[in-house]
Amino acid sequence: MKITGREKIENCVKGEFVYKYFFDSVWTKESILNMASLGGLKYYESFPRPMFKVVRPDGTIIKGVLSADKCRVIFPRSGADAAALKFETRMREIFQEPTKEG
Protein backbone atom coordinates (compact mmCIF):
# COMPACT_ATOMS: atom_id res chain seq x y z
CA MET A 1 0.00 0.00 0.00
CA LYS A 2 1.84 3.07 -1.27
CA ILE A 3 0.91 6.74 -1.04
CA THR A 4 0.17 7.92 -4.57
CA GLY A 5 -0.99 11.46 -3.82
CA ARG A 6 -1.89 14.09 -1.27
CA GLU A 7 -4.52 16.81 -1.59
CA LYS A 8 -5.19 19.71 0.73
CA ILE A 9 -8.82 19.82 1.85
CA GLU A 10 -10.21 23.32 1.55
CA ASN A 11 -13.12 24.94 3.42
CA CYS A 12 -12.34 23.22 6.70
CA VAL A 13 -12.06 25.03 10.01
CA LYS A 14 -8.49 23.76 10.22
CA GLY A 15 -8.12 23.57 6.43
CA GLU A 16 -4.42 24.26 6.26
CA PHE A 17 -3.77 21.12 8.32
CA VAL A 18 -6.28 18.69 6.76
CA TYR A 19 -5.23 16.49 3.85
CA LYS A 20 -6.64 13.62 1.85
CA TYR A 21 -4.08 10.90 1.08
CA PHE A 22 -4.52 8.53 -1.86
CA PHE A 23 -3.11 4.99 -2.09
CA ASP A 24 -2.40 2.43 -4.81
CA SER A 25 -4.74 -0.09 -3.13
CA VAL A 26 -7.79 -0.10 -0.88
CA TRP A 27 -7.96 -0.41 2.88
CA THR A 28 -8.47 -4.00 3.99
CA LYS A 29 -9.16 -5.24 7.51
CA GLU A 30 -5.53 -6.37 7.72
CA SER A 31 -4.12 -3.01 6.59
CA ILE A 32 -6.40 -1.19 9.03
CA LEU A 33 -5.26 -3.40 11.92
CA ASN A 34 -1.64 -2.68 10.94
CA MET A 35 -2.34 0.99 11.67
CA ALA A 36 -2.34 0.20 15.41
CA SER A 37 1.44 0.60 15.34
CA LEU A 38 0.93 4.32 14.59
CA GLY A 39 -1.07 5.06 17.74
CA GLY A 40 -4.46 4.50 19.31
CA LEU A 41 -6.56 2.60 16.76
CA LYS A 42 -10.33 2.45 16.88
CA TYR A 43 -11.91 0.18 14.27
CA TYR A 44 -15.67 0.39 13.86
CA GLU A 45 -16.26 -2.87 12.01
CA SER A 46 -20.01 -2.97 12.75
CA PHE A 47 -20.74 0.34 10.98
CA PRO A 48 -22.60 0.09 7.64
CA ARG A 49 -19.34 1.33 6.09
CA PRO A 50 -16.63 0.02 8.46
CA MET A 51 -14.22 2.80 9.36
CA PHE A 52 -11.14 3.42 11.46
CA LYS A 53 -9.56 6.26 13.37
CA VAL A 54 -5.99 6.48 14.62
CA VAL A 55 -4.76 9.14 17.01
CA ARG A 56 -0.98 9.46 16.98
CA PRO A 57 1.03 10.61 20.03
CA ASP A 58 1.82 13.93 18.25
CA GLY A 59 -1.90 14.67 17.82
CA THR A 60 -2.22 13.61 14.17
CA ILE A 61 -5.62 12.02 13.45
CA ILE A 62 -6.06 9.53 10.60
CA LYS A 63 -9.54 8.50 9.45
CA GLY A 64 -10.47 6.05 6.73
CA VAL A 65 -13.08 3.63 5.44
CA LEU A 66 -12.73 -0.07 4.62
CA SER A 67 -12.43 -0.66 0.84
CA ALA A 68 -11.55 2.97 0.07
CA ASP A 69 -8.25 3.95 -1.54
CA LYS A 70 -7.86 7.13 0.50
CA CYS A 71 -7.92 8.49 4.04
CA ARG A 72 -8.18 11.87 5.74
CA VAL A 73 -5.31 13.08 7.90
CA ILE A 74 -5.53 16.02 10.30
CA PHE A 75 -2.16 17.30 11.46
CA PRO A 76 -1.65 19.29 14.69
CA ARG A 77 -1.30 23.06 14.43
CA SER A 78 2.11 22.96 16.05
CA GLY A 79 4.59 21.16 13.82
CA ALA A 80 2.25 20.19 10.97
CA ASP A 81 5.07 19.76 8.44
CA ALA A 82 7.10 17.54 10.77
CA ALA A 83 4.00 15.49 11.61
CA ALA A 84 3.26 15.00 7.89
CA LEU A 85 6.79 13.80 7.26
CA LYS A 86 6.60 11.36 10.19
CA PHE A 87 3.22 10.05 9.02
CA GLU A 88 4.43 9.46 5.46
CA THR A 89 7.65 7.81 6.69
CA ARG A 90 5.78 5.46 9.05
CA MET A 91 3.30 4.53 6.32
CA ARG A 92 6.19 3.52 4.06
CA GLU A 93 7.70 1.47 6.91
CA ILE A 94 4.43 -0.29 7.77
CA PHE A 95 3.42 -1.11 4.20
CA GLN A 96 6.81 -1.56 2.56
CA GLU A 97 6.96 -4.05 -0.23
CA PRO A 98 8.84 -7.26 0.49
CA THR A 99 12.29 -7.37 -1.05
CA LYS A 100 12.80 -9.76 -3.95
CA GLU A 101 15.75 -12.06 -3.54
CA GLY A 102 17.35 -14.32 -6.01
Side-chain angles (χ1 to χ4, degrees), residues 14 16-19 56-61 73-84 87:
K14 299 177 184 176
E16 66 265 34
F17 306 109
V18 181
Y19 290 86
R56 291 188 40 84
D58 66 5
T60 298
I61 299 170
V73 182
I74 305 164
F75 295 110
R77 286 187 174 274
S78 175
D81 291 336
F87 166 73

Side-chain angles (χ1 to χ4, degrees), residues 1 3 6 21 23 37-38 56 62 75 81-96:
M1 189 167 195
I3 296 171
R6 176 176 107 156
Y21 278 83
F23 300 92
S37 67
L38 288 175
R56 291 188 40 84
I62 306 148
F75 295 110
D81 291 336
L85 180 60
K86 286 179 187 176
F87 166 73
E88 292 172 12
T89 300
R90 286 294 292 135
M91 290 297 289
R92 281 192 293 275
E93 291 170 357
I94 292 168
F95 297 110
Q96 68 183 350

Side-chain angles (χ1 to χ4, degrees), residues 4-15:
T4 59
R6 176 176 107 156
E7 177 181 294
K8 186 176 177 181
I9 298 177
E10 302 293 338
N11 298 324
C12 290
V13 174
K14 299 177 184 176

Side-chain angles (χ1 to χ4, degrees), residues 96-100:
Q96 68 183 350
E97 292 183 2
T99 57
K100 295 180 181 177

